[in-house]
Amino acid sequence: MKMLLDILSDPNRRTRMDVLNRCEQVLEKLDLHSKQQQSTTSSTLKPDVRPVQEQHMFQPILDALTANINNHMFNHTLQRTVRPAMSALCGPPIRAPSPPAKRRYTEENDSSDEDDIPNVLQGEVARLDHRFNVALDPTHHGGSRSVHLICRLNDRNLPAVPPISVTVPYGYPEISPQCKTSSQDYDSTPFLQCVSQSLEKQLGSIQNRFSLTALLNIWEMSVRQACNPAILTASRTVASAPVSKVPVK
């Protein structure tokens, strides 16, 4: 083989023809050309071929997804096949708790209370001066056709007085509202007694019907008149005067 290598590698060397023929026969028996081709093809294919053990366990699924990603039924197929498994693994989606349901009973009661109050009275209460505070009387049930109100007077220039109870009848404004001052609060002091007497006197002197606004204005004027020292002294004198007894014959 060494002699064959010297003959092939030295171009200036002269060799007989029969020696060259024998060299050719030896080379054909070695078949170097086919072995070289096999080595080249194996070297080119080797990087692309991976052993089965090195493949990812989800490689078949990834290959199937890559092959069908352009299909128009791709999303539907994933929803039908993959979603049940993901729901079983991860559970239902996390979301905020829903707000509690409102009770229809409360809503119906609120709407019925608003419907029982006449529109005329609602508009009049809305137009009242800020010193008058009017609210529904919670002690009366909603089944009555009359509207019961608790009225308060908030004036910095006047002393604090107890609220009054006003009953607005069903036929208002054709029927005048009624005011109740005969409570224990207005009998506690001479000042409050003077306010109650003045209010009852002025309401009794009105011949025609009057509105809720007029009643509240008369109540305010009664408080202002009771603040007058002369009127307060006169009311105290009348209240403290002894009652003369008529002798019985």
Side-chain angles (χ1 to χ4, degrees), residues 19-187:
V19 177
L20 293 177
N21 290 334
R22 280 185 292 175
C23 292
E24 184 179 2
Q25 292 176 3
V26 172
L27 291 175
E28 288 179 355
K29 290 179 181 180
L30 292 176
D31 199 6
L32 296 176
H33 183 69
S34 60
K35 290 183 177 180
Q36 186 178 2
Q37 287 182 352
Q38 290 179 1
S39 62
T40 359
T41 52
S42 61
S43 62
T44 52
L45 295 176
K46 189 175 181 179
D48 296 335
V49 178
R50 292 189 300 174
V52 180
Q53 291 80 4
E54 296 181 1
Q55 289 185 356
H56 196 273
M57 60 182 301
F58 297 113
Q59 188 62 38
I61 299 177
L62 297 176
D63 294 341
L65 294 177
T66 307
N68 298 283
I69 196 170
N70 294 326
N71 193 348
H72 65 281
M73 298 292 291
F74 183 72
N75 292 333
H76 174 70
T77 306
L78 288 180
Q79 182 79 6
R80 183 169 49 85
T81 56
V82 180
R83 184 180 179 182
M86 297 301 297
S87 300
L89 290 175
C90 304
I94 301 174
R95 62 178 183 178
S98 58
K102 295 183 180 179
R103 291 182 295 178
R104 185 175 297 179
Y105 177 77
T106 305
E107 295 178 355
E108 291 178 355
N109 288 346
D110 295 341
S111 60
S112 62
D113 293 341
E114 294 178 358
D115 294 340
D116 292 341
I117 303 176
N119 295 332
V120 178
L121 181 59
Q122 293 185 22
E124 186 176 358
V125 171
R127 291 189 296 270
L128 286 175
D129 194 84
H130 60 87
R131 63 182 182 273
F132 296 115
N133 187 5
V134 180
L136 291 174
D137 192 353
T139 59
H140 291 79
H141 59 85
S144 177
R145 304 187 72 179
S146 301
V147 181
H148 301 272
L149 304 175
I150 298 295
C151 303
R152 293 178 174 83
L153 178 61
N154 299 324
D155 195 338
R156 296 180 180 179
N157 299 324
L158 295 177
V161 293
I164 59 174
S165 177
V166 179
T167 302
V168 181
Y170 176 70
Y172 183 83
E174 300 298 330
I175 304 175
S176 301
Q178 301 174 2
C179 177
K180 295 181 181 180
T181 57
S182 59
S183 60
Q184 296 180 358
D185 295 335
Y186 278 90
D187 294 336

Side-chain angles (χ1 to χ4, degrees), residues 211-222:
S211 62
L212 176 64
T213 306
L215 189 151
L216 296 178
N217 290 330
I218 293 174
W219 177 37
E220 181 190 4
M221 292 303 300
S222 301

Side-chain angles (χ1 to χ4, degrees), residues 175-229:
I175 304 175
S176 301
Q178 301 174 2
C179 177
K180 295 181 181 180
T181 57
S182 59
S183 60
Q184 296 180 358
D185 295 335
Y186 278 90
D187 294 336
S188 57
T189 61
F191 172 75
L192 295 178
Q193 291 177 2
C194 180
V195 173
S196 177
Q197 293 173 4
S198 176
L199 177 60
E200 292 179 356
K201 182 178 179 181
Q202 293 188 43
L203 292 178
S205 63
I206 301 177
Q207 298 180 357
N208 298 326
R209 60 179 181 269
F210 53 89
S211 62
L212 176 64
T213 306
L215 189 151
L216 296 178
N217 290 330
I218 293 174
W219 177 37
E220 181 190 4
M221 292 303 300
S222 301
V223 176
R224 293 184 183 276
Q225 290 178 4
C227 294
N228 190 354

